Amino acid sequence: MNKPRNSLARIFRVPLILLAVSLAGLVTALLVEGHGDVIAALAVAAPVATILFAYFRRRR
Amino acid sequence: MKTATIRGWAFVHKWTSLICTLFLLMLCVTGLPLIFHDEIDGALNKEVWTPANPGGPHLTLDEILAIALARREGDVPIFLSFDIDRPVVNVTSLPSIDAPPSDMLFASFDLTSGDVVPPADVGEGVMEFLLQLHTDMFLGLPGMLFLGFMGLLFVAAIVSGVVLYAPFMTKLDFGEVRREKSARLKWLDYHNLLGVAATGWLLVVGLTGVVNTLEKPIIDAWRYTELADLVSEHQGPPLTKAPASLDAAVARAVEAAPGMELQFVSFPGSPYSTNAHYAVFLHGKTPLTERIITPVLIDAADGSFEGRREMPWYVKALSLSRPLHFGDYGGLFLKILWAALDIFTIIVLGSGVYLWLAKKRVGEKRFLSEAAVPAE
């Protein structure tokens, strides 16, 4: 347990990126139609992909 | 964060979550099939309806209205609405203008033939049940407002959860899960990971859900203030002669609202109109504006234009809260993400209850000292 303490910036770096990306995706999907929808949905998928990645990373 | 601060936020997180968890679980479970409402309807109602004369000329709205009213002698029209992707109009009528809503007669008509379109309602009973449970638990307005309050508690639980994320993560990397140490630590790490990663979606769906529970007061406020203003400016005695052509009235309204599409018509004397006007409601054509409706009043006696009024901001907010809550505005892929995030929410709620029980067993002090690191 002698790991160095994480700073607040470090702790919230990924969560803040996910928050910004998913909110941008949720709003963009409302503003655009067609191909734009897919890109917006990919942004909404970022947290889902992150969670699945974290789950499967150490499973093997 | 000092230990006392952590304990304060933990107190907020514990109680806001505990009170709303059972209801949130119900909302997540009933919400999951509701995301795919259209797809389930489509799968259960395989027979695709086709118009009698595809591409053929349309009957006029006056003709359709006459056919609809002939089905029950003496009925008066209340609403007329237009399907988006097929040549179908829907007519709602009542035996008299002040008859109770339970006497309503609703039917859909083929614009190319005037034939009745059979309702595609296989499985509708189950979906209706789920929807009622999800919106008001069969308790009407009090049920809706109660669920809105649960939604507010849920938002408070999300915010306090994000604050608590910091002291629990001072020694861990993002996404790190301590699988080997104990079931308690493993589920704590999953709870934190899922919760913090999905925060954006959780806040959006939670807050728009709360706005949706205010639908009744919002629509009422609109009807009794802005719409009432528009209507009372023009409110006169009921029509004494036969009303002007519906087609002409609709055409006049479309002219008065360029770039917009028809949504529905409220007839003279009905709840959304005056005694002597057709109220024609139109909506925009872009994804953002297609949920924003604008009423146009047309004098039912002579078909002349009377007035047009934009939606007030609070009704616009409600209109935009619906897609953001339902997830039905970005195709099937977005719906699948909605379902995945819904399932993650169930896991966060379930693990939260588990952690609360585990914490009770080992004692809060030891739980926090093991897992959360205060600042020195």
Side-chain angles (χ1 to χ4, degrees):
Chain A
M1 270 300 194
N2 285 326
K3 259 172 105 175
R5 304 171 59 85
N6 292 324
S7 64
L8 269 187
R10 190 179 149 79
I11 291 172
F12 281 111
R13 190 176 54 199
V14 182
L16 275 178
I17 293 171
L18 287 176
L19 180 72
V21 169
S22 56
L23 286 183
L26 287 168
V27 174
T28 309
L30 206 55
L31 302 175
V32 297
E33 239 169 338
H35 294 304
D37 260 358
V38 180
I39 297 169
L42 283 176
V44 180
V48 178
T50 307
I51 290 166
L52 293 178
F53 178 76
Y55 179 76
F56 287 110
R57 188 177 46 173
R58 305 264 176 93
R59 278 276 125 155
R60 282 169 291 129
Chain B
M1 235 184 273
K2 295 205 170 66
T3 310
T5 321
I6 297 174
R7 293 190 72 157
W9 281 104
F11 179 83
V12 173
H13 191 61
K14 176 169 93 179
W15 285 106
T16 51
S17 320
L18 273 182
I19 295 167
C20 74
T21 287
L22 200 62
F23 297 97
L24 258 295
L25 273 174
M26 178 278 285
L27 291 172
C28 286
V29 171
T30 53
L32 196 54
L34 287 173
I35 298 170
F36 300 104
H37 197 159
D38 287 344
E39 285 74 12
I40 293 171
D41 278 355
L44 291 177
N45 298 279
K46 277 253 176 355
E47 266 173 52
V48 179
W49 176 85
T50 48
N53 309 301
H58 288 185
L59 275 74
T60 65
L61 296 177
D62 290 297
E63 286 169 331
I64 295 281
L65 190 60
I67 294 169
L69 296 181
R71 297 180 78 223
R72 197 163 71 180
E73 200 67 36
D75 260 23
V76 292
I78 304 295
F79 301 121
L80 182 142
S81 65
F82 302 84
D83 276 14
I84 296 164
D85 44 5
R86 50 182 204 169
V88 169
V89 289
N90 311 288
V91 180
T92 308
S93 61
L94 277 175
S96 68
I97 206 71
D98 42 15
S102 53
D103 288 344
M104 268 187 189
L105 184 66
F106 174 91
S108 306
F109 298 92
D110 183 346
L111 262 175
T112 70
S113 68
D115 296 341
V116 172
V117 178
D121 54 4
V122 177
E124 209 35 52
V126 177
M127 294 311 269
E128 265 314 305
F129 176 83
L130 291 176
L131 185 62
Q132 279 308 117
L133 194 57
H134 191 91
T135 31
D136 65 6
M137 305 185 292
F138 301 92
L139 296 173
L141 184 60
M144 270 174 107
L145 296 177
F146 176 81
L147 287 179
F149 179 60
M150 291 300 116
L152 280 180
L153 289 178
F154 181 54
V155 170
I158 296 166
V159 172
S160 55
V162 170
V163 173
L164 283 173
Y165 182 75
F168 282 99
M169 293 300 286
T170 47
K171 298 278 182 177
L172 292 175
D173 291 329
F174 177 84
E176 200 176 332
V177 175
R178 291 162 290 184
R179 285 179 228 272
E180 283 78 29
K181 295 217 162 130
S182 71
R184 190 155 41 88
L185 282 181
K186 182 179 83 176
W187 281 110
L188 173 69
D189 291 346
Y190 273 130
H191 182 83
N192 289 343
L193 169 64
L194 266 64
V196 87
T199 294
W201 183 84
L202 289 170
L203 284 176
V204 166
V205 175
L207 285 170
T208 53
V210 172
V211 174
N212 287 336
T213 63
L214 302 175
E215 174 177 306
K216 178 102 174 57
I218 287 175
I219 296 289
D220 280 354
W222 184 38
R223 277 181 61 187
Y224 295 128
T225 59
E226 306 245 348
L227 263 190
D229 282 353
L230 178 64
V231 167
S232 68
E233 281 169 27
H234 305 285
Q235 189 73 278
L239 277 186
T240 45
K241 55 175 185 169
S245 155
L246 174 60
D247 288 279
V250 167
R252 189 69 194 83
V254 171
E255 209 178 294
M260 300 188 81
E261 260 171 41
L262 276 172
Q263 183 153 342
F264 75 104
V265 179
S266 193
F267 284 88
S270 67
Y272 289 93
S273 194
T274 76
N275 282 333
H277 292 85
Y278 293 116
V280 182
F281 290 79
L282 303 102
H283 63 85
K285 286 178 177 168
T286 68
L288 187 64
T289 60
E290 70 183 355
R291 302 176 193 267
I292 308 289
I293 57 173
T294 301
V296 173
L297 280 192
I298 301 291
D299 191 320
D302 59 10
S304 62
F305 171 78
E306 282 277 16
R308 169 185 168 170
R309 185 72 55 93
E310 297 288 326
M311 268 184 173
W313 66 269
Y314 52 88
V315 185
K316 285 183 178 161
L318 172 67
S319 302
L320 293 177
S321 284
R322 288 183 183 134
L324 283 170
H325 188 76
F326 305 152
D328 60 352
Y329 61 104
L332 186 60
F333 182 41
L334 196 67
K335 290 188 179 186
I336 292 171
L337 291 173
W338 236 253
L341 287 158
D342 183 289
I343 291 168
F344 289 162
T345 310
I346 294 176
I347 298 175
V348 172
L349 294 167
S351 57
V353 173
Y354 167 79
L355 290 167
W356 168 64
L357 293 172
K359 192 160 81 174
K360 275 205 342 193
R361 215 169 42 235
V362 298
E364 172 151 346
K365 233 179 185 155
R366 200 184 129 204
F367 180 82
L368 285 180
S369 69
E370 255 178 31
V373 184
E376 51 265 345

